[in-house]
Amino acid sequence: MKIALRLTLVFSVVVATILFIFAAGIYLSSKQDREDEFYDRLRIKTITKAELFINAKVHPSLIQSIHEENKKIMNEAQVAIHDLSGKLLYHDDIANDMIRETPEIFRDIRKEKEIHGYVGKWQTIMLLYSYEGKSYLITGAAYDFYGYNKIDSMFEKILLFYTISIILIVMSGYLFSRNVLNPVKDIIKKVNTITASSLNSRLAPGKNKDELTQLVVTFNSMLNRIDRSFESQKSFVSNISHELRTPLATIAAELELTMQKDRAPSEYKTALKNVFDDTKQLIRLSSALLDFAKASYDPSEIAFSLQRVDELIIEARSQTMKANPDYRIDIVFENDFDSDEDILLSANAYLLRVAFANLFENGCKYSAQRSCRVSICLDRISIILRFIDQGTGIPAQDLDHIFTPFYRGHNQQMASGTGIGLALTKKIITLHQGDIKVSSQTGKETTFTIKLPNNRA
Ligand code: ADP
């Protein structure tokens, strides 16, 4: 069921119920008022007639003829007067007696002094009346013709107005809920037009600062994020293709040139060496990309275990030096540690080794001495690692970009590379809830500072 219809139904049922209680309350209290008022009038009429008969000693036939006349024009009461023993002294119209008095009724009147009741729709009153020391049992009955008429017509009017009100409530409820939901429909329509190729379109927020405007703003900011990541994915893919194409094109050109004529063995050797270098570059790039993809997994899919940071550093060092035997890497402990908790951290050993090896490799390859050092500093909740080299340094204009995938700095001619290393390192450090900062002085030194939470954090 659509929300507009559901809102209309709920709204109509609630308002209709309230209106029903209101109308029923008015009707029932009017009915009660009519009954009370008529008993008051009936009492006065009955006592007045009793006074005419008992006090004023008016002749019964005169009272009876007045009763006969009044019957035609108003709610005339039919009165009967008995003495205490129940003997009938007077009756307005014995032939059409409304109240069949019995000894039990007389007993009840003597006991209660005043009794109200009904005979069909006729209201009855029974009273104990005293005059000059003598008591009488008087009864009166009358039909409230005007009162019932008023109440019945009131009931019809209430029913009519209630029905009209329900129709109006349902109609206005539907219009109201449709009106309220119109902006939501507009949003749905607009959202449906947004596709991967039109990720740059945005929804127009309303003028009011209401929940719908908030929804639109939130949706727009989500689109911004999706758009940005979509764009960076696109440029990432085109960078990968470009980086793969360059060495492949070089290999193809090298082979084509070599095959054009017969060559001396030394020339073949040089050509093969060039092809081998380009292939190594391709392998480096593809493994870096593979690691990048791994580091981009959802953290819940990556296996973490407790690792000693010094062991990971030593392993990364041997890994780097195995591939580059001319590099020199020193490891320095800045302080002692009291417990293993200080040096342990929850990590994916493979990825963290890759990150450290990248920093070692950069430190060595961008310095003429091919050397760098790492210092390990432990505090209560974190492990601080500084990768320092006295190399070429990073030009100031490169500092803001070096963590961007495929970005290579102005000093790139110093060493071969892919531009993936630092982006990958940052991703891995972030995955381990840490952060990485760089400071550098051109021509002097470069320091990458990594802060990782230890097992106590
Ligand atoms: P690359 O494969 O080019 O080394 P990285 O992502 O590892 O790619 O580094 C990005 C850029 O940052 C490098 O091209 C280089 O300009 C600069 N860089 C990184 N580390 C150092 C360093 N230790 N000394 C000087 N420059 C560095």
Side-chain angles (χ1 to χ4, degrees):
M1 191 190 285
K2 286 195 167 169
I3 290 187
L5 209 60
R6 213 161 54 210
L7 276 180
T8 311
L9 266 183
V10 173
F11 173 74
S12 307
V13 169
V14 169
V15 179
T17 311
I18 295 171
L19 207 65
F20 178 78
I21 294 171
F22 179 73
I26 288 187
Y27 174 71
L28 291 177
S29 77
S30 303
K31 222 173 140 191
Q32 187 63 46
D33 285 352
R34 183 214 61 77
E35 188 184 273
D36 293 347
E37 262 174 43
F38 197 66
Y39 274 127
D40 289 345
R41 295 216 310 269
L42 185 58
R43 183 186 301 105
I44 293 168
K45 280 180 188 169
T46 308
I47 290 176
T48 309
K49 215 172 259 185
E51 280 172 350
L52 280 180
F53 178 75
I54 299 165
N55 310 7
K57 309 264 189 293
V58 177
H59 197 273
S61 58
L62 183 59
I63 305 173
Q64 279 162 347
S65 66
I66 294 171
H67 170 73
E68 206 49 41
E69 278 308 307
N70 285 351
K71 252 174 31 176
K72 296 169 196 156
I73 49 163
M74 59 171 86
N75 306 336
E76 174 64 359
Q78 185 192 81
V79 175
I81 304 170
H82 297 77
D83 67 10
L84 264 190
S85 65
K87 190 174 144 227
L88 181 66
L89 303 177
Y90 168 81
H91 201 295
D92 269 338
D93 192 0
I94 191 76
N96 298 308
D97 189 16
M98 288 305 298
I99 306 173
R100 303 281 149 105
E101 292 87 350
T102 59
E104 288 76 38
I105 291 179
F106 291 138
R107 196 191 56 218
D108 290 347
I109 303 173
R110 283 194 295 266
K111 206 170 127 203
E112 306 282 337
K113 313 270 192 295
E114 179 167 338
I115 299 173
H116 294 170
Y118 274 91
V119 173
K121 287 188 94 177
W122 283 56
Q123 271 173 257
T124 61
I125 191 164
M126 303 172 189
L127 299 160
L128 186 68
Y129 176 76
S130 300
Y131 181 69
E132 291 183 341
K134 266 185 90 180
S135 294
Y136 302 87
L137 306 170
I138 56 175
T139 59
Y143 178 73
D144 185 8
F145 182 76
Y146 300 117
Y148 278 124
N149 262 359
K150 247 164 80 177
I151 278 293
D152 287 349
S153 105
M154 182 182 193
F155 181 76
E156 280 164 18
K157 279 180 193 146
I158 285 181
L159 204 67
L160 177 73
F161 286 123
Y162 184 72
T163 315
I164 293 173
S165 306
I166 294 289
I167 294 170
L168 288 177
I169 287 165
V170 172
M171 275 165 52
S172 60
Y174 187 66
L175 287 178
F176 175 73
S177 51
R178 259 188 39 174
N179 227 12
V180 167
L181 291 171
N182 265 349
V184 178
K185 275 193 192 158
D186 290 345
I187 293 176
I188 295 173
K189 230 193 265 167
K190 189 85 207 263
V191 169
N192 275 333
T193 62
I194 298 176
T195 60
S197 55
S198 61
L199 270 181
N200 54 350
S201 52
R202 298 287 176 269
L203 304 177
K207 290 182 192 77
N208 305 331
K209 295 256 163 293
D210 55 15
E211 285 82 353
L212 283 179
T213 308
Q214 265 175 358
L215 176 73
V216 169
V217 170
T218 313
F219 187 77
N220 280 347
S221 73
M222 187 189 79
L223 274 182
N224 285 342
R225 288 196 299 275
I226 295 179
D227 195 15
R228 269 202 304 274
S229 84
F230 209 73
E231 281 305 313
S232 77
Q233 290 286 333
K234 270 200 308 205
S235 77
F236 192 69
V237 171
S238 73
N239 275 327
I240 292 177
S241 332
H242 179 259
E243 290 300 317
L244 288 176
R245 224 183 43 197
T246 312
L248 283 174
T250 321
I251 291 172
E254 182 85 41
L255 292 176
E256 195 181 16
L257 194 74
T258 315
M259 284 186 313
Q260 270 172 2
K261 54 177 183 169
D262 285 342
R263 297 186 182 274
S266 64
E267 279 180 284
Y268 282 122
K269 229 175 172 179
T270 316
L272 280 178
K273 161 106 182 41
N274 290 343
V275 169
F276 180 60
D277 286 346
D278 284 334
T279 315
K280 272 206 304 198
Q281 168 78 352
L282 274 176
I283 292 171
R284 261 208 306 274
L285 178 65
S286 59
S287 15
L289 287 175
L290 196 65
D291 291 339
F292 198 86
K294 277 187 199 148
S296 308
Y297 287 172
D298 186 337
S300 62
E301 290 175 37
I302 296 175
F304 283 83
S305 57
L306 274 188
Q307 302 288 337
R308 278 183 68 118
V309 80
D310 52 346
E311 285 177 7
L312 293 178
I313 284 181
I314 291 167
E315 285 159 16
R317 176 179 179 268
S318 359
Q319 201 175 300
T320 315
M321 294 196 32
K322 199 166 155 201
N324 308 278
D326 58 325
Y327 287 179
R328 223 193 72 223
I329 300 167
D330 297 325
I331 302 173
V332 183
F333 269 98
E334 283 192 12
N335 53 357
D336 284 338
F337 53 94
D338 304 328
S339 94
D340 274 359
E341 292 289 301
D342 294 336
I343 202 157
L344 280 171
L345 82 168
S346 166
N348 178 286
Y350 171 79
L351 289 176
L352 216 48
R353 269 197 306 264
V354 169
F356 296 159
N358 274 334
L359 293 172
F360 285 144
E361 193 181 328
N362 279 356
C364 294
K365 78 180 179 188
Y366 291 109
S367 62
Q369 305 85 355
R370 299 281 184 256
S371 68
C372 69
R373 74 168 193 279
V374 58
S375 76
I376 305 170
C377 172
L378 307 168
D379 71 16
R380 242 195 79 71
I381 55 164
S382 42
I383 298 167
I384 298 153
L385 307 172
R386 290 191 187 84
F387 294 78
I388 306 160
D389 68 86
Q390 258 81 42
T392 158
I394 304 173
Q397 70 264 40
D398 290 334
L399 278 175
D400 286 342
H401 309 288
I402 52 172
F403 294 107
T404 310
F406 298 107
Y407 185 85
R408 301 207 68 211
H410 286 77
N411 55 8
Q412 59 174 280
Q413 70 290 342
M414 256 200 92
S416 67
T418 57
I420 278 284
L422 283 183
L424 172 60
T425 302
K426 188 175 168 104
K427 217 172 215 336
I428 294 173
I429 298 302
T430 310
L431 190 71
H432 287 79
Q433 321 283 338
D435 75 349
I436 178 165
K437 289 198 172 68
V438 59
S439 68
S440 183
Q441 273 179 290
T442 324
K444 249 184 157 182
E445 71 158 47
T446 301
T447 305
F448 284 93
T449 309
I450 291 180
K451 194 169 177 183
L452 289 163
N454 69 14
N455 194 35
R456 221 188 255 122

